[in-house]
Each structure stands twice: as C-alpha cells, then as structure tokens.
Amino acid sequence: MAETTTRAAQPRGFRSAELGWPELHRIPHPPRRLPLLGDVLGVNRATPLQDSLRFARQLGPIYRRKAFNREFVFVWGADLVADLADESRFAKHVGLGVANLRPVAGDGLFTAYNHEPNWQLAHDVLAPGFSREAMEAYHPMMLAVAGRLTDYWDRERTAGRSVDVPGDMTKLTLETIARTGFGHDFGSFERDRPHPFVTAMVGTLTYAQRLNSVPFPALLRRAAQRNADDIAYLNRMVDDLVRARRAAGGDGDLLDRMLETAHPETGERLSPENVRRQVITFLVAGHETTSGALSFALHYLSRHPEVAARARAEVDRVWGSAAVPGYDQVAKLRYVRRVLDESLRLWPTAPAFAREAVQDTVLAGRHPMRRGAWTLVLTPMLQRDPEVWGADAERFDPDRFDPKAVRSRPPHVFKPFGTGARACIGRQFALHEATLVLGLLLRRYELRADPGYRLSVTERLTLMPEGLRLHLERRADSGATAAPVAESDEAPAASESRCPVSRAGD
C-alpha cells in the first residue's frame, strides 16, 4: 500500500507539486500567472471543474495550475491515464475536496487513506452486498421507489406542470439507497422541500469544495460553523437509524452486514464509529452521483428524439407486455445502457480522480515523479480526447458504445467510476438502478425539452445539470402491449462498460 501520511498525519499530496515533480518546468501552465495568487485570472469559484476543462483545451493533455501557495498537476491524455492505471506504480490519492470530506466520512470507503486498515476490512465485508444475488434482492425495492416517482410525475403532468429533473432524481436515488441498503424511508416524494439529510449533505459537499478556493480556512468561519452543524445532523440521523436497527433486528441488507458480519479471514468487525462513517458514505455517494447520471441522460434523451425513440422501441421489444420488468430483463436493455454510458462519457458525475506514485517513477516515459507525487485525472477531458473519441467527441452519440466500437478503443479511456482497486464498489448497483429507471420512464412518457433551456452544469464535488425541467406526455399504451421478441445476439459492451463486483473497490 502507498504511504500517504507524513508525521503531521496530513496527506503527502497536500505538498505543492514542485516537491514531487522534478521537471515541473516542462509542464505548461496558464498565462498571466500572478505573484502570490497564482492562476486565478478568468476563473470562477463556483465552477472549478469547468475552468479546469477550459485550461485543458488550451494547454494540452498534462498541465499545471497554481492556487495561492499550492500547485497542482492535471492529466487527461489517454496514454498518460493508461500509465496511471498501473496498480503496481500508482494508487488512489485522497486529496483536494475528498480529504475535505473526512470530518464527516472519516475512514469510510471513499475517503479512507490507503494505509488505513478499515478500508480493506469494510471492502471485504461489504463486497458481497453487491453480488448478483444481493442485486436481485434489491430489484423489487428499486421498482417500488421508481413507482413512487412515476406516481408523482403523473400528478405533475395532470396538473400541467413540468418536472424538476435533478430534484426528483435526487429524491429517487436517495430513497433507493436508503431502502435497499438501510431499510429506511425518507418520505422524499411526500415532501415539498428536500429532506434535511439532503440539505445537510449538499452543505457538506459545498463547503468541501469551497475549502479549495481560499488560501486560509479561517476565511470561512461562518461557513465552517454551518458545516459543523450539518455534520452533527448527519451523525445524529445515522446514529438513530443504527439504534432502530439494533432494536428491531436484521433485514439482510448493507446495514446488517456492517453490524453483524465479521471479516471471513480475520473475524474482525467494523467499529460503531466506522459503521456510522460507512452509512454516511453510502447514503451520500450512493445517491448523489446516480441522480446526476440520470439527470444528464434524461437531458440528452429530451434533446435527441431519434435516440429516445430507438431506446423506447428497445424497451417495448425487450420488456414486452410484462407489467414490471424482471431483474434479468434490465441487463437486456443494451441500447438504453449505451445512452447512459454516453451521458457518463460527456458528464461523468464524479468528474475527477487522483493518483499517487507509490515509488519513484516516470509517467508515460516522459515526466519524472517522486514517491508521493500525485496528479488529478480530469475524466470529462479524458473521455473527450479527440485522438481516441474522434473529431466529434463533443457530440452525443450512444453508438460509441456499440461493442465493436468499444473493442476498437484502447483500455482506460472510459473511467466514470474511477480506476483500480478503489474504483466504485457500488458501480453495478448504480448501473442497474439507472438503466431500470430510464427504461421505466421511456416506457411511460414522451420527454419534451424546454426549447429555451441551455445545459448549465452546477458543481458540488459531483456534477448536476442546473435548472433542468422537462414536460411529460403520457404514452397511450405505456409501452406495455408489445409482444416480446427474441433477444438480440449482440454481445454486451466489453471491459470498458463492465466491472466484475469481485474487483470493484472504492
């Protein structure tokens, strides 16, 4: 494992890049760098990721930016990222906004440092919770929550109102992970305002991002107090949830695994404090990114009626007249899955991941790195690299994920769930949920975009389309009358779009 702490117990990557990159001068940076302030001209504190993408287009596949007294290296070139995926030389680096979440998530799966033992313990205990058998058990609950969404959307449509896509997808995915993982119902669709959990979660994510844009955290004194209040609320809510479970007994879900399952080899169990951290991690990460992925996919479907028609025809053909789809029928929606993958290509809702050198090395044979040096991979730029994706890489085209197209591309160019041993443990859960929901919505509605809407992306560590509303038209037959036909013999997408649960991490 890579050692990621110093004697001061801070991530080594908090060091400025010149300490880890001996030939940093060879890496370009934005023009007009200001003394003391760094590369701040023309940037917006609310859109650091989109600013980084703009600089990436100007400066190329590897570049650096300086903010006050710290300098960072960004990478998006396909050959560089492929080299960073080498697990023998690089590991996950916890830095930037991720480390800023440690006051709430601690050594949970997403925010743990590589050397912290609870990461491996929790991963080994919880990985069976994402097996095929477990996923099949979650499927009816996913259907039930999706039914609450469509009931709500039917009421909004009848009243002549458009629907708030990001807000409603957040309600959907929060309820899904809460019910499947922890047996809890937030009552999101019965509320006029977001559940306090969502408000507190958004507050912690926003504060974590703001910490990256100020030279001294003391400048955010009032925001820090609000953040402390948000964290206290999240902790209380989870503690109440755990107490209720202990009193009521097991339900066979993720929370039961956290409370009752011992490591198969060591017999060790998660501590009560770590259980709290894992629950918060799953509730936050288990719904925030999936809601964004669904929202972007619905945006593109509304803007590309020919794609929506093709996807809808697949749903009608594969699901036929069945009142609700079975678990195995979801994976047969191969074109719907391509729509989701293409949306994740253009706007991966977790838009970056950091990699740290575990030994002195040379990145792609060109850029020396000392042990502990790190870089941030800009996933949206990697997945728009014209040398890989073509001159039309900015265009939405689900056929990029036709199996033949996938096989023609090099590995490591599609990374919406991260890479390596600590890629997202819940990847299969998110993909099943999102494909199921898209299929259900396409089967039930025609999606009409507001002609005046232009995609605007809001950033709070994850990405979400801002202000996206859609008008709904109920399909006359709801897609449930077509007779089923034989399944296509087309193979599912290759390794780019599949990740065996046994190899998933965080």
Side-chain angles (χ1 to χ4, degrees):
M1 293 290 181
E3 182 182 342
T4 55
T5 58
T6 66
R7 285 177 294 180
Q10 284 190 316
R12 296 183 67 178
F14 275 18
R15 304 178 309 172
S16 191
E18 63 267 15
L19 301 178
W21 295 75
E23 298 183 11
L24 189 66
H25 63 278
R26 295 176 47 227
I27 299 175
H29 64 76
R32 300 183 297 163
R33 175 171 284 186
L34 299 178
L36 300 179
L37 297 179
D39 304 313
V40 299
L41 292 178
V43 302
N44 185 335
R45 189 176 67 181
T47 57
L49 184 276
Q50 291 166 83
D51 289 339
S52 296
L53 300 185
R54 177 166 50 83
F55 285 128
R57 293 184 178 97
Q58 296 171 2
L59 299 172
I62 181 170
Y63 71 96
R64 54 190 167 115
R65 287 179 66 187
K66 192 166 189 176
F68 307 111
N69 61 339
R70 294 184 297 182
E71 189 151 22
F72 309 108
V73 174
F74 296 80
V75 163
W76 58 270
D79 62 328
L80 298 168
V81 176
D83 204 38
L84 288 167
D86 181 350
E87 289 280 290
S88 70
R89 294 160 51 224
F90 297 96
K92 174 174 177 171
H93 171 74
V94 176
L96 296 174
V98 176
N100 293 338
L101 290 172
R102 281 183 61 90
V104 62
D107 56 354
L109 282 168
F110 180 58
T111 48
Y113 297 130
N114 294 319
H115 72 280
E116 290 180 306
N118 273 335
W119 174 78
Q120 192 68 60
L121 171 61
H123 179 270
D124 292 348
V125 166
L126 294 173
F130 297 97
S131 65
R132 176 188 168 84
E133 180 182 17
M135 292 293 302
E136 196 163 0
Y138 302 147
H139 179 76
M141 288 181 276
M142 291 182 178
L143 281 168
V145 176
R148 291 166 69 180
L149 169 71
T150 54
D151 287 347
Y152 176 73
W153 275 19
D154 283 349
R155 293 194 297 272
E156 294 295 285
R157 183 195 62 80
T158 300
R161 292 188 288 264
S162 62
V163 293
D164 171 11
V165 174
D168 293 342
M169 292 305 104
T170 295
K171 293 176 182 179
L172 169 88
T173 55
L174 175 62
E175 292 297 339
T176 299
I177 187 61
R179 288 196 60 185
T180 58
F182 309 104
H184 185 74
D185 190 334
F186 284 98
S188 297
F189 289 105
E190 292 70 47
R191 293 175 173 270
D192 294 330
R193 297 181 178 180
H195 190 282
F197 175 87
V198 175
T199 304
M201 178 210 70
V202 171
T204 59
L205 294 178
T206 302
Y207 179 75
Q209 179 164 295
R210 288 188 66 190
L211 282 175
N212 295 323
S213 64
V214 296
F216 307 107
L219 296 174
L220 299 177
R221 186 172 301 172
R222 290 185 180 179
Q225 182 56 56
R226 289 194 299 271
N227 185 58
D229 293 341
D230 288 337
I231 291 173
Y233 173 81
L234 295 174
N235 288 340
R236 287 195 305 271
M237 192 213 76
V238 171
D239 289 346
D240 289 345
L241 189 155
V242 171
R243 275 194 296 270
R245 172 58 59 84
R246 289 191 185 279
D251 198 30
D253 55 15
L254 288 175
L255 182 55
D256 272 357
R257 288 188 172 277
M258 294 179 190
L259 295 175
E260 305 296 338
T261 304
H263 191 279
E265 295 178 3
T266 68
E268 190 177 0
R269 295 177 183 269
L270 298 178
S271 69
E273 182 181 39
N274 190 257
V275 168
R276 175 205 283 168
R277 291 169 171 173
Q278 303 296 357
V279 172
I280 290 175
T281 295
F282 275 97
L283 285 173
V284 174
H287 92 276
E288 177 76 358
T289 52
T290 310
S291 62
L294 278 165
S295 297
F296 283 113
L298 289 167
H299 165 72
Y300 284 116
L301 284 167
S302 72
R303 292 287 175 171
H304 297 271
E306 74 288 353
V307 172
R310 183 174 167 188
R312 187 175 292 112
E314 179 185 61
V315 175
D316 291 347
R317 183 179 71 248
V318 173
W319 290 0
S321 58
V324 293
Y327 172 78
D328 288 332
Q329 286 182 296
V330 175
K332 295 176 182 178
L333 297 183
R334 289 166 180 162
Y335 187 73
V336 174
R337 172 61 184 277
R338 290 180 208 166
V339 170
L340 180 62
D341 283 345
E342 177 69 348
S343 302
L344 284 168
R345 181 185 74 84
L346 289 169
W347 291 109
T349 50
F353 59 92
R355 299 288 284 173
E356 176 182 313
V358 300
Q359 62 192 37
D360 290 353
T361 190
V362 180
L363 178 61
R366 300 193 297 276
H367 299 283
M369 298 175 68
R370 296 192 179 102
R371 178 174 178 259
W374 67 279
T375 183
L376 195 68
V377 176
L378 293 175
T379 318
M381 281 303 301
L382 166 69
Q383 296 174 177
R384 287 174 164 89
D385 186 344
E387 293 188 8
V388 173
W389 300 93
D392 65 345
E394 300 285 343
R395 183 174 63 88
F396 178 77
D397 179 8
D399 282 335
R400 297 182 201 276
F401 290 91
D402 175 278
K404 292 180 181 178
V406 171
R407 289 191 291 268
S408 72
R409 287 191 290 268
H412 306 298
V413 295
F414 183 61
K415 293 288 185 179
F417 294 93
T419 193
R422 296 190 63 182
C424 177
I425 194 174
R427 173 176 180 167
Q428 299 304 326
F429 182 100
L431 290 172
H432 182 86
E433 177 189 4
T435 306
L436 169 65
V437 170
L438 289 178
L440 291 169
L441 296 180
L442 286 163
R443 190 186 211 193
R444 195 175 190 89
Y445 305 110
E446 299 278 353
L447 307 169
R448 304 301 185 201
D450 181 343
Y453 179 77
R454 295 295 179 268
L455 181 62
S456 176
V457 178
T458 187
E459 302 180 24
R460 56 188 191 211
L461 288 184
T462 62
L463 305 181
M464 184 78 76
E466 184 174 13
L468 174 63
R469 302 190 71 90
L470 294 180
H471 300 273
L472 306 174
E473 294 180 16
R474 183 70 185 269
R475 295 182 67 203
D477 62 2
S478 295
T481 60
V485 300
E487 178 189 353
S488 167
D489 60 358
E490 182 179 273
S495 59
E496 203 172 57
S497 299
R498 295 181 355 204
C499 178
V501 171
S502 62
R503 296 182 59 190
D506 314 281

